[in-house]
Amino acid sequence: MALAACSPRIAEFQPIGDFEPSQASAEEVMSSLVLDFEQVDALTGRANARISSPDYSDQATLLFTSDRSQSLLAMRNNLGVEGGRIYADADSVTMYDRIEGKAWRMSTEESHRILLNGLTAFNLLEFLLPAFSATDISAVYESEDKWMLGLENGNQLYFNKSSGLLKRIFQPATGPEAYNHFIFSNHARLEGLMLPRRIQILSNDEKSTIFLLIQALELNPSAPSFDIGIPDDIPIVRI
């Protein structure tokens, strides 16, 4: 059944760009998209990261591991020294500053406003290959060359009509500094899947940016590790 323009959910979405409510059904749109999330349960890899904000800028190597329920990020500076790790699951986020020897645990919502070396928690698998079904879609918009799918959780997913590839994700955010806008480009084929090599992550107020250039990526690793590695003598401060 087509999602009609009078749907009460449509008014809650404000698409980025020149979009209009579409009469196409969620099932029709999904059949035209490149949706490979069922083939990938976990991934691990490495990316060059360039971080820029009004009061902080840096470059680092980002090591990441993600599955559908948890993620681990580790940051190394240009000298190869690991400065921090961020572990996130469905319940909380743990940040470990290896240089200062300090660790913090907080809610996912609280982590959106707290940065470690300019980075915050995010699950790369959930953004590269978001898992969703037609029943999760509340609204369908379209422009001349793109689809925008509005999900029940408020996320907006933008797909190129001709290629069917995911081009950006926008999440609702409560604070201006929260990273909530993901833009994907430079897609390349890996193990039969088309995945982006370049990711731009913007804060809600667009004043802070993280550029990720993926250097290595392994899909479905046999034994991904999510050990944040906090020594027993370092207390975890709850925020």
Side-chain angles (χ1 to χ4, degrees):
M1 181 177 67
L3 292 170
C6 62
S7 168
R9 291 282 302 185
I10 284 183
E12 298 181 17
F13 293 97
Q14 297 180 346
I16 302 169
D18 186 17
F19 284 80
E20 297 291 339
S22 174
Q23 293 301 310
S25 71
E27 292 82 0
E28 290 170 342
V29 175
M30 287 190 66
S31 68
S32 70
L33 305 180
V34 177
L35 301 173
D36 296 319
F37 58 84
E38 292 183 348
Q39 301 182 48
V40 182
D41 297 318
L43 56 77
T44 185
R46 182 183 74 253
N48 290 337
R50 181 159 54 89
I51 306 160
S52 177
S53 67
D55 54 4
Y56 184 92
S57 62
D58 199 3
Q59 296 188 41
T61 297
L62 183 68
L63 308 176
F64 54 85
T65 303
S66 301
D67 65 15
R68 292 293 174 184
S69 62
Q70 57 189 335
S71 67
L72 179 67
L73 304 176
M75 292 147 283
R76 293 177 180 171
N77 62 22
N78 292 332
L79 300 176
V81 177
E82 187 175 308
R85 296 181 181 182
I86 302 174
Y87 171 79
D89 58 22
D91 300 319
S92 64
V93 172
T94 303
M95 295 186 177
Y96 173 33
D97 188 327
R98 289 169 57 89
I99 303 300
E100 297 293 332
K102 297 180 180 179
W104 305 267
R105 181 165 294 150
M106 65 211 74
S107 68
T108 302
E109 183 65 27
E110 185 72 11
S111 73
H112 292 164
R113 68 174 188 85
I114 297 177
L115 303 180
L116 180 63
N117 297 335
L119 285 171
T120 189
F122 56 85
N123 186 319
L124 204 60
L125 176 59
E126 289 299 312
F127 298 114
L128 290 178
L129 294 163
F132 66 97
S133 66
T135 58
D136 297 317
I137 299 172
S138 298
V140 178
Y141 282 79
E142 64 178 303
S143 68
E144 182 177 350
D145 61 345
K146 291 184 179 65
W147 297 107
M148 192 285 275
L149 303 181
L151 304 187
E152 286 285 350
N153 61 9
N155 289 359
Q156 300 177 21
L157 277 59
Y158 294 79
F159 291 85
N160 183 276
K161 281 185 174 179
S162 60
S163 68
L165 295 173
L166 178 65
K167 303 298 290 185
R168 70 172 66 199
I169 295 176
F170 183 82
Q171 296 180 313
T174 57
E177 298 178 353
Y179 285 102
N180 68 328
H181 191 177
F182 297 75
I183 303 173
F184 310 105
S185 59
N186 292 15
H187 288 72
R189 191 169 298 280
L190 176 65
E191 299 180 21
L193 308 184
M194 288 295 292
L195 296 170
R197 290 294 187 180
R198 187 175 185 272
I199 305 171
Q200 181 183 9
I201 308 173
L202 292 168
S203 61
N204 194 31
D205 60 9
E206 298 188 355
K207 294 182 179 180
S208 299
T209 305
I210 299 173
F211 286 99
L212 296 181
L213 183 61
I214 296 178
Q215 300 295 312
L217 189 63
E218 179 185 358
L219 305 181
N220 297 319
S222 58
S225 173
F226 295 94
D227 181 14
I228 193 171
I230 300 175
D232 294 337
D233 61 344
I234 294 180
I236 299 177
V237 178
R238 296 187 178 271
I239 299 176

